[in-house]
Amino acid sequence: LMYDLVKAPLIVPVLRLAVYVCLTMSMMLFVERLYMGIVIILVKIFCGKPEKRYKWEPMREDYEIGTSVFPSVLIQIPMFNEKEVYKISIGAVCNFAWPSDRLVVQVLDDSTDHNIKEMVEKECLRWASKGINITYQTRVTRGGYKAGALKEGLTHDYVQDCEYVAIFDADFRPEPDFLLRSIPFLIHNPEIALIQARWRFVNADECLLTRMQEMSLDYHFKVEQEVGSSTHAFFGFNGTGGIWRIAAINEAGGWKDRTTVEDMDLAVRAGLKGWKFLYLGDLHVKSELPSTFKAFRFQQHRWSCGPANLFRKMFMEIVRNKRVNVWKKVYVIYSFFLVRKITAHMVTFFFYCVVLPLTILVPEVEVPKWGAIYIPCIITILNSVGTPRSIHLLFYWILFENVMSFHRTKATLIGLLEFKRANEWVVTEKLGDAINNNKSNSKPAPKKTKSIFRDRILLHELGFAVFLFVCGVYDYLHGKNHYYIYLFLQVITFTIAGVGWVGTIVPS
């Protein structure tokens, strides 16, 4: 009786308003995806490779002046308890095809495990004995996390002669010619502050979770980064696999730890100073994707919460800026932040996991077919262009992205409203050879029931599975749109995630 009393005057109007809001956000996302699709086609046809758009000449040693023709480059490798992968990036950068006297390698180790710190230091000493100018740096505290480590690394006297700094996380393995292909852009184009390389993933085929991540990240690199670089010479720095002009870092105010996306923070501030960024899609750096669901969720929280929190802090700074034109400010505020970092997460969760199922229980509210089916299908197809080899996984990718949209939406709201977890920093766990090592152990450690329950059983996902199941059953019995087919498949996906049966299962 109470439901009947409030349904017509309250529930129906509120739900109808929610539908209109979600349809508006869907159209925003659709127009953005269509715009980027058109731009990327035009870039591929008319713009050509970066070597044609910018001045570029190969680096060659001068027999008269020797290696001084090569600029001094600092390599920073931030680490935190990277037991499984600490050798990867150190070995890769120490094998760069670059004069050793013009290269400074700096390992910034914030590890809290004393044994791991000893192993990393020994690895640095091993390369130093081969003539590599490598320094092992530690800090008393982890203040500022990665941003704090990178900032302190630039203050040491032995790096003052370096003009550029390349940053690689511990699991990244650049090719030997990385600097030879990228540094010439910085030398011959003084307006460029940043060169960003494309990530490639060594464990993309490890499990279904890594395949899903590859699809999302390939679109980001192949389309989003390329469009930003080609149209406005601006995009978000990915935090690793890139080279900065140190003068640009200093002019922008240096590294700041006010959010969990210190890389994007620096990029936005440098962009507002008028510096240009260049994305090199043909320059690949291999890396590792998080293959456990727990590590992936923590990473997605940081990647979703940080941009929203940065948008809150920098909105008025961007609006008041006078060094860049209006179109670039509109691009940064609307396209870069509002649509991609906020709207994309919220519309995916609220529309397809909350509002659409509720309209089944309230038949007085209808969602037009173009908003419920056609627009989402077109957006999905546009998203799939980055990874054609996984086109057969597209439907499951949609279901999985809907599940992850819950975490991303929650993190986005935490960042916008600056709640308690807004500055939570959890380093993404890398497994490396952990699985093989665990399999070879003859006496595995006893299982910890509480830890398994806390890490594997996710009550929010299971709760949404129950909600969607109820809506699906009601639609099957009384509905007319046959949404129950989608809802039951989404129930299965939420349930799989809710019991933690996603990604690589690491033995205790």
Side-chain angles (χ1 to χ4, degrees), residues 18-30 347-348 350-353 355-357 359 366-380 402 481 483 486:
V19 170
Y20 292 151
V21 172
C22 289
L23 289 175
T24 301
M25 290 194 295
S26 291
M27 287 304 301
M28 291 169 60
L29 188 59
F30 169 71
V347 69
T348 304
F350 285 119
F351 197 10
Y352 306 112
C353 300
V355 174
L356 189 63
T359 60
E366 292 187 3
V367 178
K369 286 288 193 299
W370 63 264
I373 300 175
Y374 304 138
I375 293 297
C377 287
I378 296 174
I379 293 174
T380 302
N402 288 347
N481 292 317
Y483 288 150
Y486 152 74

Side-chain angles (χ1 to χ4, degrees), residues 180-457:
L180 291 174
R181 296 176 60 186
S182 56
I183 290 293
F185 285 104
L186 294 167
I187 294 175
H188 300 295
N189 303 275
E191 73 279 10
I192 295 179
L194 167 67
I195 302 292
Q196 174 67 60
R198 181 186 169 187
W199 299 0
R200 297 306 297 264
F201 312 106
V202 296
N203 64 332
D205 294 324
E206 182 175 331
C207 59
L208 195 56
L209 175 62
T210 53
R211 290 292 292 271
M212 299 297 102
Q213 295 177 66
E214 182 191 37
M215 294 178 70
S216 300
L217 288 171
D218 275 354
Y219 177 83
H220 168 70
F221 282 105
K222 281 188 175 182
V223 180
E224 290 181 346
Q225 297 292 75
E226 187 70 75
V227 168
S229 175
S230 303
T231 56
H232 299 279
F234 171 82
F235 49 81
F237 175 45
N238 295 114
T240 177
I243 307 177
W244 276 93
R245 189 185 300 273
I246 294 179
I249 295 178
N250 295 332
E251 185 181 347
W255 294 100
K256 294 185 179 181
D257 60 350
R258 54 180 175 175
T259 69
T260 56
V261 284
E262 73 293 325
D263 43 17
M264 186 182 297
D265 188 348
L266 177 61
V268 174
R269 286 184 281 113
L272 294 178
K273 293 290 185 181
W275 288 97
K276 293 182 178 181
F277 305 158
L278 177 61
Y279 170 70
L280 298 181
D282 293 334
L283 183 61
H284 298 172
V285 181
K286 295 178 182 179
S287 63
E288 179 182 329
L289 291 165
S291 56
T292 64
F293 192 45
K294 178 182 177 182
F296 181 59
R297 283 190 295 114
F298 277 125
Q299 181 200 68
Q300 293 303 297
H301 174 87
R302 189 172 77 247
W303 285 6
S304 302
C305 178
N309 192 232
L310 181 63
F311 180 61
R312 169 194 173 105
K313 287 179 165 64
M314 292 203 68
F315 176 76
M316 291 309 301
E317 184 178 344
I318 298 171
V319 172
R320 293 169 182 163
N321 185 274
K322 297 181 180 179
R323 296 189 62 172
V324 298
N325 58 46
V326 174
W327 292 114
K328 187 168 184 177
K329 288 194 282 188
V330 170
Y331 173 79
V332 174
I333 293 175
Y334 176 79
S335 181
F336 181 76
F337 275 115
L338 187 61
V339 178
R340 298 185 209 169
K341 310 301 182 186
I342 298 175
T343 301
H345 305 323
M346 289 188 174
V347 69
T348 304
F349 171 67
F350 285 119
F351 197 10
Y352 306 112
C353 300
V354 179
V355 174
L356 189 63
L358 285 177
T359 60
I360 295 172
L361 304 179
V362 185
E364 292 85 350
V365 180
E366 292 187 3
V367 178
K369 286 288 193 299
W370 63 264
I373 300 175
Y374 304 138
I375 293 297
C377 287
I378 296 174
I379 293 174
T380 302
I381 293 172
L382 292 173
N383 279 334
S384 67
V385 299
T387 316
R389 79 183 188 98
S390 299
I391 193 72
H392 61 288
L393 299 173
L394 193 58
F395 190 74
Y396 184 74
W397 177 77
I398 298 171
L399 299 173
F400 180 72
E401 283 293 294
N402 288 347
V403 174
M404 291 308 303
S405 68
F406 166 70
H407 293 283
R408 293 169 182 148
T409 299
K410 181 174 66 173
T412 300
L413 292 174
I414 289 174
L416 282 175
L417 302 176
E418 210 161 22
F419 284 160
K420 186 177 180 180
R421 292 182 62 196
N423 292 313
E424 180 185 68
W425 181 280
V426 178
V427 176
T428 304
E429 179 188 21
K430 292 99 176 177
L431 295 183
D433 295 326
I435 299 297
N436 295 330
N437 291 339
N438 275 317
K439 287 180 179 179
S440 63
N441 288 338
S442 58
K443 296 181 180 181
K447 296 183 178 180
K448 299 179 181 179
T449 307
K450 290 184 179 180
S451 176
I452 292 175
F453 182 84
R454 183 174 63 250
D455 294 342
R456 294 281 300 275
I457 304 301

Side-chain angles (χ1 to χ4, degrees), residues 104-176:
V104 180
V105 180
Q106 192 179 63
V107 178
L108 306 171
D109 190 10
D110 278 351
S111 299
T112 54
D113 188 311
H114 183 69
N115 293 327
I116 296 177
K117 293 175 73 172
E118 283 189 353
M119 290 189 294
V120 176
E121 187 173 12
K122 286 181 180 179
E123 182 69 8
C124 294
L125 292 173
R126 187 175 74 86
W127 282 105
S129 65
K130 296 182 179 182
I132 303 298
N133 185 6
I134 183 171
T135 305
Y136 176 73
Q137 297 285 167
T138 60
R139 298 189 296 162
V140 177
T141 65
R142 287 186 66 208
Y145 302 108
K146 182 178 176 180
L150 295 174
K151 182 178 182 179
E152 184 172 312
L154 291 175
T155 62
H156 295 285
D157 293 336
Y158 61 86
V159 304
Q160 299 308 310
D161 293 333
C162 296
E163 301 176 52
Y164 313 106
V165 53
I167 302 169
F168 300 100
D169 286 348
D171 60 309
F172 276 68
R173 51 199 82 176
E175 296 296 328

